[in-house]
Amino acid sequence: MFRILHAALFSLALIMPAAAEDTPFSSDLVTFGSALPATADDTRDDGILRDETGRPVTHPLIGMPLPDFDAPTADGGVFDSAQLEGQWTILVAWGVWCHDSRNDMDNIAAVASRAHATENLEFVSVHVPWTPDHLDTMYRNYGSVSGYFDARGVSFPTILDETTDLRAALQIQWTPTYLVIGPDLKVRGYRTDLSRSGDGAVDRFLERVALLRDAG
């Protein structure tokens, strides 16, 4: 009996998706009132609590209104944050310059596509530079977001932060950062890289977003 049970458990282990190594705490959706890990620490003396991988465990805007802003978009338009009122929105801050953002690119594109196909759920991203001293290298050798999209074979709605003003206003402490915005324009949820969450990360994230929406 023991051998049969052991064989069954071994077979089950083979078909289960492997967990991502060094999965950060913030790889799950953090919402208002979420219990933060006891191990979170201000390791950089900047007032930001981080997990063992260096990722912030929460976001300062959770439960707060999204700041008002308007900015150009990658397709030549202009975006006003008031456009998000009355609907649920996933907002992703990322950068071509950022290794973790580039690793998450297929996931960001998948979230954008799935959100577009979901009733009462929108998607928008903000391309943010690292610091004001790195504006000239924020697109690496691609020249622009559009150039990167063409080379990478992806595309999704993108607002351009050309000065780091938006990065500061949105209090982006890690890229990529995913924010869930409610119809009242309050920030309801936060998480970091989907690529660190193993197989099925997009499905699990969108399931958590759906639960948040259903709860109102």
Side-chain angles (χ1 to χ4, degrees):
M1 174 64 73
F2 175 77
R3 290 182 179 178
I4 294 174
L5 178 60
H6 183 270
L9 290 174
F10 179 75
S11 298
L12 181 61
L14 289 178
I15 63 174
M16 291 291 288
E21 295 182 2
D22 300 322
T23 301
F25 168 83
S26 56
S27 66
D28 196 4
L29 189 64
V30 179
T31 60
F32 186 75
S34 289
L36 303 182
T39 55
D41 193 15
D42 181 6
T43 55
R44 303 181 188 177
D45 295 324
D46 56 4
I48 300 172
L49 293 177
R50 291 180 167 85
D51 61 26
E52 65 280 4
T53 70
R55 290 163 172 77
V57 297
T58 189
H59 191 280
L61 289 182
I62 290 181
M64 304 292 291
L66 186 73
D68 294 332
F69 66 87
D70 57 75
T73 59
D75 61 3
V78 176
F79 181 87
D80 188 323
S81 58
Q83 296 173 220
L84 303 181
E85 188 172 4
Q87 62 197 7
W88 286 87
T89 304
I90 297 171
L91 183 152
V92 183
W94 65 285
V96 170
W97 55 271
C98 170
H99 173 77
D100 293 305
S101 293
R102 297 194 305 275
N103 277 350
D104 229 24
M105 197 50 44
D106 287 341
N107 292 320
I108 298 174
V111 169
S113 178
R114 295 271 294 276
H116 180 71
T118 302
E119 185 177 358
N120 192 30
L121 183 61
E122 297 297 326
F123 173 94
V124 67
S125 76
V126 183
H127 184 278
V128 295
W130 182 18
T131 72
D133 294 331
H134 296 84
L135 298 181
D136 58 340
T137 59
M138 65 177 166
Y139 300 124
R140 303 185 81 215
N141 60 333
Y142 298 99
S144 65
V145 165
S146 297
Y148 174 71
F149 282 167
D150 288 345
R152 187 64 175 74
V154 299
S155 183
F156 43 78
T158 303
I159 302 160
L160 301 178
D161 178 7
E162 300 177 321
T163 61
T164 70
D165 287 349
L166 264 183
R167 183 184 181 109
L170 296 174
Q171 301 192 50
I172 301 303
Q173 303 165 342
W174 183 267
T175 49
T177 280
Y178 293 72
L179 298 178
V180 182
I181 316 299
D184 55 359
L185 295 184
K186 286 187 177 180
V187 178
R188 304 293 189 89
Y190 152 81
R191 65 157 294 152
T192 60
D193 338 18
L194 285 161
S195 62
R196 298 303 295 270
S197 300
D199 297 337
V202 171
D203 288 338
R204 289 192 297 274
F205 173 56
L206 292 176
E207 286 167 2
R208 289 298 307 275
V209 172
L211 290 173
L212 196 60
R213 290 168 56 212
D214 291 345

